[in-house]
Amino acid sequence: MPIINALSINVEDYFQAPAYQLTIKERDWGLLSPRIEYAVDKLLLLLSDHHVTATFFVYGWTISHFPSMLKKIAEQGHELAYRHYSPADAQHFNQRKIIDDLNRYKVQLSQIIGRKVIGYRADTTLCRSMNAWLENELVLAGYEYSSENCVDRTAMHQNSVGTVLDGFQHLNVSTHNVLSHGYEIISTNNIRLRKYESSSKLVKNFIEVTKTPVLGSLSTWMMDNQQPNIRADSLLKKWLHGYHLREAPLILHQLFSEYGWQTISDVYLRKVLQISSIHKRKGRCVS
């Protein structure tokens, strides 16, 4: 029986993409013309055509401004989870605000979709400094897992199954090694920079070596090839943002046709976590 992989989606409008993190601040989001619903509709159609379900990570700002869109995502069988946002140039974190937000938006999102919210994702800035206090607050708030998409560039080949402690699980975005540096196997940029055959080979190799599913992370803005041409943080980021944007739906069509994909909860919490618990009872190391 083939392994079913886990697919996560970062719900981002074009101006929330990494290419604009320094140029466009959160306070400016409301001043720009949103195109997130267009991108999400295109992605939902593609997922439906291939019978794929995914976990959609959503900013608090998006939860407040696009409740109908989020309800539509949930109605099509996808999981929704909360994603923290902090400015890319942030030097310090307001712990009280982070705690208030992860509780408030969890409740707000649950009310919108009529389901329990159990997933959390820190953005890259917070992820790099994540420590015990945040995990404790996530557990207290009722989250069951965190799934980060910041890669430790010095890490070795990563198994997606992270540590399991008191029912709370850390899940790593799956990576492969290039000269001892870790790079995401399935991500918005990497899947557009490589030939598809290379990505497919990496997925197969990861499954063969780790015997566990791949956890991939994509962004909704890659489905919008008609987004406005606005100034990015740098020419390199601008080029990277637009590279193969028109080909993105075809690349995803290939990915979804060749491999099975489901939500993080379906793949890890209801399947792999059970296997992990069995292995731990036998005294074996999982992660």
Side-chain angles (χ1 to χ4, degrees):
M1 182 177 179
I3 288 182
I4 302 298
N5 302 294
L7 180 64
S8 65
I9 307 291
N10 291 324
V11 180
E12 296 173 330
D13 215 324
Y14 64 95
F15 51 78
Q16 296 167 325
Y20 307 105
Q21 286 185 333
L22 299 177
T23 304
I24 301 175
K25 305 297 185 181
E26 184 179 7
R27 63 178 179 269
D28 300 321
W29 290 354
L31 304 175
L32 298 163
S33 299
R35 294 183 54 81
I36 187 64
E37 291 173 297
Y38 169 78
V40 166
D41 283 345
K42 284 185 65 177
L43 182 56
L44 288 176
L45 181 60
L46 185 61
L47 295 173
S48 177
D49 286 345
H50 292 280
H51 307 288
V52 169
T53 55
T55 298
F56 287 72
F57 287 94
V58 192
Y59 288 139
W61 185 89
T62 307
I63 294 171
S64 299
H65 286 79
F66 297 95
S68 297
M69 179 187 73
L70 302 181
K71 189 174 182 180
K72 181 193 296 186
I73 294 172
E75 288 172 348
Q76 295 195 23
H78 304 287
E79 178 184 19
L80 282 106
Y82 170 60
R83 183 183 179 203
H84 171 80
Y85 173 82
S86 59
D89 55 355
Q91 300 296 320
H92 305 284
F93 296 102
N94 185 332
Q95 291 189 15
R96 184 72 267 162
K97 184 178 187 307
I98 291 174
I99 295 169
D100 289 344
D101 285 349
L102 66 86
N103 281 278
R104 175 164 60 100
Y105 287 123
K106 180 178 185 293
V107 172
Q108 189 175 340
L109 183 56
S110 297
Q111 292 174 341
I112 291 171
I113 65 176
R115 299 180 193 173
K116 187 178 179 182
V117 173
I118 62 172
Y120 175 88
R121 172 166 282 174
D123 63 5
T124 304
T125 309
L126 179 60
C127 178
R128 288 171 178 162
S129 62
M130 188 178 292
N131 47 37
W133 70 265
L134 180 56
E135 179 178 323
N136 291 337
E137 294 298 335
L138 291 172
V139 172
L140 289 173
Y143 290 91
E144 296 182 21
Y145 70 88
S146 67
S147 176
E148 318 311 333
N149 63 340
C150 61
V151 177
D152 181 356
R153 298 300 180 190
T154 62
M156 299 302 287
H157 193 101
Q158 287 188 12
N159 186 326
S160 297
V161 183
T163 57
V164 182
L165 181 64
D166 297 328
F168 186 83
Q169 190 171 12
H170 290 286
L171 298 167
N172 306 313
V173 173
S174 304
T175 62
H176 70 106
N177 278 347
V178 177
L179 300 176
S180 299
H181 287 241
Y183 295 92
E184 295 166 327
I185 295 175
I186 299 299
S187 72
T188 303
N189 287 334
N190 289 348
I191 200 170
R192 291 181 298 129
L193 289 171
R194 312 185 195 104
K195 289 185 177 180
Y196 175 72
E197 290 75 15
S198 297
S199 293
S200 178
K201 184 177 180 180
L202 288 170
V203 171
K204 290 179 181 177
N205 181 68
F206 183 90
I207 293 173
E208 290 174 359
V209 171
T210 67
K211 309 300 181 186
T212 57
V214 168
L215 173 53
S217 178
L218 303 172
S219 300
T220 51
W221 58 261
M222 72 183 296
M223 296 298 294
D224 183 9
N225 60 16
Q226 300 179 25
Q227 54 190 266
N229 183 16
I230 56 178
R231 193 183 75 163
D233 296 346
S234 67
L235 290 177
L236 176 60
K237 286 187 176 183
K238 181 68 173 179
W239 173 84
L240 186 62
H241 179 84
Y243 187 76
H244 276 183
L245 207 57
R246 292 187 178 276
E247 288 76 16
L250 176 58
I251 296 171
L252 296 185
H253 166 76
Q254 293 174 293
L255 183 68
F256 299 157
S257 296
E258 187 171 2
Y259 299 99
W261 302 88
Q262 292 182 355
T263 68
I264 290 177
S265 289
D266 284 336
V267 172
Y268 288 105
L269 301 190
R270 299 180 189 139
K271 296 177 184 177
V272 174
L273 182 55
Q274 296 172 3
I275 297 173
S276 300
S277 299
I278 293 172
H279 288 174
K280 285 200 166 188
R281 286 198 296 272
K282 291 182 179 179
R284 294 170 57 187
C285 180
V286 179
S287 59

